Amino acid sequence: MTAITISASILSADFANLTDQIRQAESAGVDWIHVDVMDGAFVPNITMGPFIVETIHRITRLPLDVHLMIENPDHHIEAFAQAGASNLTVHIENTPNIHRTLTEIENLGCHPCIALNPGTPANRLEAIIPYVDMVLVMTVNPGFSGQKHIPEMVAKVIQVKRMLADQNRLARIEVDGGITAANLPVLVDAGANTIVSATSVFKYPGGIAAGVQALRSSVS
Ligand code: DX5
Ligand code: ZN
């Protein structure tokens, strides 16, 4: 049995019943709640900000895995840390002083994490591997839930795993986008140990508990 961490993305939750949806995800045994922050500039969609993170923090004790898909993330990390984020993930593509940003995230008491879009090569990570607790390999282009995963990202997960091993780092490898029970085993074999899912949790036809169970049993 492979132990995976499941980070349930509320992007596909029913926001009219958010508390109930999060309770159901908790009972189903998800490990983290994933919050997709989008600004309509770095990605085409606009979603939620620190206020929502703070609200969710009051609803659940699960760690909040906050994925920042925004321009100028440095301007906002303190607000997200204060709102209760556990992980703060910034994108390498738009964070020019990445070492400083990751150090600041750590100083704010959060886990510093770095995300790579599908078009960004793994070798961009080389110099910052010592400063990250998690690498997020995007398996879709960020912006929306419900997209189809890009199978070529399996090779990037393998590369990232090798790069972490070369530097003796135990950082997590997270995958995000289009994850289903059908494509998860290959990603886990490649080295992913932390899984983000919106659709396969909150929009699973048999309900949230069945969705989480399907993901877990696909790799057990
Ligand atoms: C995409 C977001 C994802 C998204 C995943 O930009 O980063 O976290 O919510 O949704 P699914 O699991 O439906 O692909
Ligand atoms: Zn995400």
Side-chain angles (χ1 to χ4, degrees):
M1 166 127 189
T2 314
I4 52 164
T5 296
I6 297 183
S7 190
S9 164
I10 57 166
L11 198 55
S12 290
D14 173 7
F15 266 66
N17 295 295
L18 190 57
T19 304
D20 176 64
Q21 296 265 287
I22 289 176
R23 294 267 179 274
Q24 283 191 52
E26 277 179 334
S27 317
V30 308
D31 302 285
W32 296 347
I33 298 295
H34 185 85
V35 185
D36 285 305
V37 178
M38 305 185 189
D39 66 351
F42 180 61
V43 289
N45 197 3
I46 301 178
T47 57
M48 27 201 159
F51 175 74
I52 300 281
V53 172
E54 194 265 330
T55 304
I56 297 165
H57 191 49
R58 283 190 276 117
I59 298 174
T60 182
R61 290 182 169 223
L62 291 180
L64 304 184
D65 182 32
V66 177
H67 179 189
L68 299 178
M69 289 160 276
I70 56 175
E71 297 293 359
N72 301 312
D74 299 284
H75 297 179
H76 304 282
I77 54 179
E78 189 169 356
F80 283 103
Q82 280 171 1
S86 295
N87 300 334
L88 273 178
T89 301
V90 291
H91 271 258
I92 201 163
E93 297 85 8
N94 70 337
T95 313
N97 300 301
I98 189 69
H99 175 265
R100 183 167 66 203
T101 304
L102 293 168
T103 307
E104 274 179 25
I105 291 173
E106 177 128 55
N107 290 341
L108 288 163
C110 300
H111 292 288
C113 313
I114 189 83
L116 278 73
N117 277 339
T120 304
N123 63 19
R124 291 273 307 270
L125 288 174
E126 193 80 50
I128 51 155
I129 279 180
Y131 311 101
V132 295
D133 287 347
M134 182 166 78
V135 176
L136 167 51
V137 176
M138 289 302 299
T139 42
V140 297
N141 288 294
F144 303 94
S145 57
Q147 303 182 78
K148 210 172 139 4
H149 95 297
I150 302 169
E152 289 75 18
M153 294 304 112
V154 172
K156 196 190 283 185
V157 171
I158 293 170
Q159 261 182 297
V160 170
K161 186 177 178 189
R162 204 172 294 138
M163 290 170 74
L164 292 173
D166 286 348
Q167 297 198 37
N168 278 319
R169 284 288 294 168
L170 286 172
R172 290 169 176 272
I173 302 178
E174 185 175 59
V175 283
D176 182 3
I179 306 298
T180 65
N183 59 39
L184 182 54
V186 177
L187 288 160
V188 169
D189 279 351
N193 47 34
T194 307
I195 313 308
V196 178
S197 178
T199 306
S200 296
V201 171
F202 289 105
K203 290 256 193 290
Y204 194 75
I208 293 171
V212 172
Q213 180 56 38
L215 289 173
R216 289 223 192 268
S217 51
S218 75
V219 290
S220 64

